[in-house]
Amino acid sequence: MTTSRNIESVAAAFESQYGYAPAGIWSAPGRVNLIGEHTDYNLGFVLPFAINRRTYAAISSREDSLVRVSSSFSPVQHEVELGQIAKNSDNDWAAYPFGVAWAIQKLSQTTGKGFDAYFESDVPVGSGLSSSAAIECSTALALNELWNTGLSRAELARCGQLAENEIVGAPTGIMDQSASLLGERDHAVFLDCKSLEAQSIELGFDAAGLELLIIDTRVAHRLNDGGYATRRAACELGASQMGVASLREVSVDQLDKAKEIMDDVAFRRVKHIVTENERVLETVENLRAEGPTAIGALLNASHVSMRDDFEISIDELDTAVDVAIRHGAVGARMTGGGFGGAAIALAPIAKVSEITLAVLAEFELLGYGKPNIFTVTADQGARRDR
Ligand code: ADP
Ligand code: MG
């Protein structure tokens, strides 16, 4: 899985698909969220990082306005006229690159040219590692260059979000695209989702002898059917009951008031968001002051909050977290939107294989599907590779 092999392979696949060599190759990473879950659309804080798994896009402009996309994921080539891109009704993957093309034109108020694109990816799909942001951001960086639209990386992140909201039809926030575009090696992206100000925060996992394990339960999450939307609605209701525009404006001290005026479920949804924002801020402080060994308790507390208050965990994720902590992880939590997907465990390198074997054994004992367990490092964000 070396980058140069990926570049050769996607270039060759483009050529066999379209019969000529691509103008360039761009790539963008998936991301993992270290802490700050469901806080993005509440205009709070998140702390994701770009991972060393990427989507490679080989792309060329065309002289006409036809857009053709194909992917190693499926043999079917999709095409559309640039001016005809509309909300996706048949759940088609092509909505991601089509949506980005639509969004860049909308945000930059320009009309682009058609293009041919071919995608290859080693970001696991539907695991909470945002293969969707990887395909969006590789496309966005490429089109911004090919079309000379001159949008900033922050604006391109917004284009990815717009594509996902308006064309794919998933009501997601801006975190994933920000991480994929703004990530740096060994750093997390500390994003204020209200001001959209982003800061690079050194992680120092390597220097501390730690690795981040992904425990992908392989239970597929479906963001557009139910749980995610009802949590968003609960947060909106909570904010309006507190008389504020978003839960970002509610402090931990005000939770007593929230408890008085809301029913138990509504209160617990609000409590998760408010305390999670606080945990992100503390995680950043601890990383700066003491390094990554000092963030374990915050990761654990985040999981408990999602399990008991926000209620978006599932048994497989709880098991992964419990076993990882029992076998020496510094901290662990589910990550991503919930109802499936992956857990993360920050662990001393010497404990990684013990944790892996213990999780595999426990999943088998409980009759769960076999999880996919691997480590990730914090890697560079979207870039042009050739
Ligand atoms: P996640 O972002 O957590 O991986 P999503 O459901 O948000 O899960 O996005 C996954 C979808 O993104 C896939 O089902 C597919 O439609 C699309 N996708 C991601 N990467 C690719 C790719 N390389 N080729 C084609 N489609 C892709
Ligand atoms: Mg996604």
Side-chain angles (χ1 to χ4, degrees), residues 228 277 385:
Y228 186 88
N277 275 330
D385 291 292

Side-chain angles (χ1 to χ4, degrees), residues 150-373:
L151 297 177
S152 67
R153 284 184 179 241
E155 288 167 326
L156 292 178
R158 176 74 185 129
C159 290
Q161 185 196 11
L162 266 179
E164 203 152 317
N165 295 166
E166 304 291 324
I167 304 298
V168 176
T172 50
I174 201 169
M175 166 173 72
D176 302 356
Q177 296 83 2
S178 302
S180 183
L181 282 154
L182 303 174
E184 289 181 70
R185 185 161 297 186
D186 197 32
H187 285 71
V189 178
F190 172 38
L191 182 70
D192 178 336
C193 299
K194 185 177 179 190
S195 68
L196 295 184
E197 190 192 324
Q199 286 179 61
S200 236
I201 306 292
E202 189 173 349
L203 288 167
F205 289 168
D206 215 19
L210 300 176
E211 275 191 324
L212 195 84
L213 262 171
I214 306 284
I215 304 164
D216 177 5
T217 63
R218 299 194 209 241
V219 178
H221 68 99
R222 272 271 130 243
L223 286 189
N224 22 13
D225 76 21
Y228 186 88
T230 59
R231 292 307 181 279
R232 273 192 86 131
C235 292
E236 273 167 35
L237 182 68
S240 81
Q241 285 182 290
M242 290 297 286
V244 291
S246 75
L247 291 180
R248 159 66 176 272
E249 313 305 332
V250 180
S251 68
V252 173
D253 293 344
Q254 290 171 301
L255 283 175
D256 288 343
K257 177 189 166 197
K259 190 168 186 149
E260 273 168 29
I261 62 173
M262 288 172 203
D263 66 48
D264 176 56
V265 172
F267 170 66
R268 286 185 291 115
R269 302 297 187 254
V270 169
K271 181 180 162 214
H272 166 71
I273 301 299
V274 173
T275 58
E276 185 79 348
N277 275 330
E278 199 58 30
R279 282 185 288 270
V280 176
L281 297 176
E282 282 180 37
T283 300
V284 170
E285 265 172 41
N286 290 5
L287 281 170
R288 282 178 170 148
E290 295 168 68
T293 48
I295 68 170
L298 292 161
L299 300 180
N300 297 345
S302 171
H303 185 77
V304 169
S305 180
M306 287 187 281
R307 185 190 66 198
D308 299 344
D309 288 338
F310 217 56
E311 296 182 281
I312 55 171
S313 190
I314 58 171
D315 292 344
E316 286 87 339
L317 289 166
D318 294 341
T319 298
V321 166
D322 290 345
V323 173
I325 294 171
R326 237 187 300 133
H327 285 267
V330 168
R333 59 185 284 275
M334 58 152 282
T335 185
F339 309 105
I344 57 172
L346 184 60
I349 293 168
K351 291 283 181 186
V352 164
S353 62
E354 179 187 332
I355 292 169
T356 304
L357 292 174
V359 172
L360 286 171
E362 189 72 10
F363 269 54
E364 195 174 345
L365 190 74
L366 292 171
Y368 299 159
K370 192 175 176 198
N372 184 23
I373 308 178

Side-chain angles (χ1 to χ4, degrees), residues 46-187:
V46 292
L47 191 64
F49 63 83
I51 59 174
N52 55 334
R53 300 278 191 125
R54 310 181 77 84
T55 294
Y56 291 82
I59 305 192
S60 285
S61 284
R62 298 169 55 89
E63 284 311 313
D64 57 16
S65 54
L66 185 65
V67 177
R68 301 190 293 181
V69 298
S70 47
S71 162
S72 59
F73 282 25
S74 106
V76 188
Q77 178 180 302
H78 298 266
E79 45 176 83
V80 71
E81 279 295 322
L82 198 49
Q84 308 283 306
I85 296 171
K87 183 156 179 171
N88 177 40
S89 43
D90 39 10
N91 249 334
D92 204 37
W93 72 267
Y96 292 90
F98 289 172
V100 167
W102 171 86
I104 290 185
Q105 295 181 102
K106 188 178 157 89
L107 214 82
S108 65
Q109 300 194 308
T110 58
T111 305
K113 282 184 174 166
F115 61 94
D116 291 332
Y118 187 89
F119 300 95
E120 279 187 8
S121 180
D122 55 34
V123 185
V125 171
S127 303
L129 297 177
S130 210
S131 66
S132 58
I135 189 170
E136 288 156 12
C137 297
S138 54
T139 308
L141 197 70
L143 293 183
N144 193 41
E145 199 174 325
L146 291 171
W147 289 350
N148 256 314
T149 25
L151 297 177
S152 67
R153 284 184 179 241
E155 288 167 326
L156 292 178
R158 176 74 185 129
C159 290
Q161 185 196 11
L162 266 179
E164 203 152 317
N165 295 166
E166 304 291 324
I167 304 298
V168 176
T172 50
I174 201 169
M175 166 173 72
D176 302 356
Q177 296 83 2
S178 302
S180 183
L181 282 154
L182 303 174
E184 289 181 70
R185 185 161 297 186
D186 197 32
H187 285 71

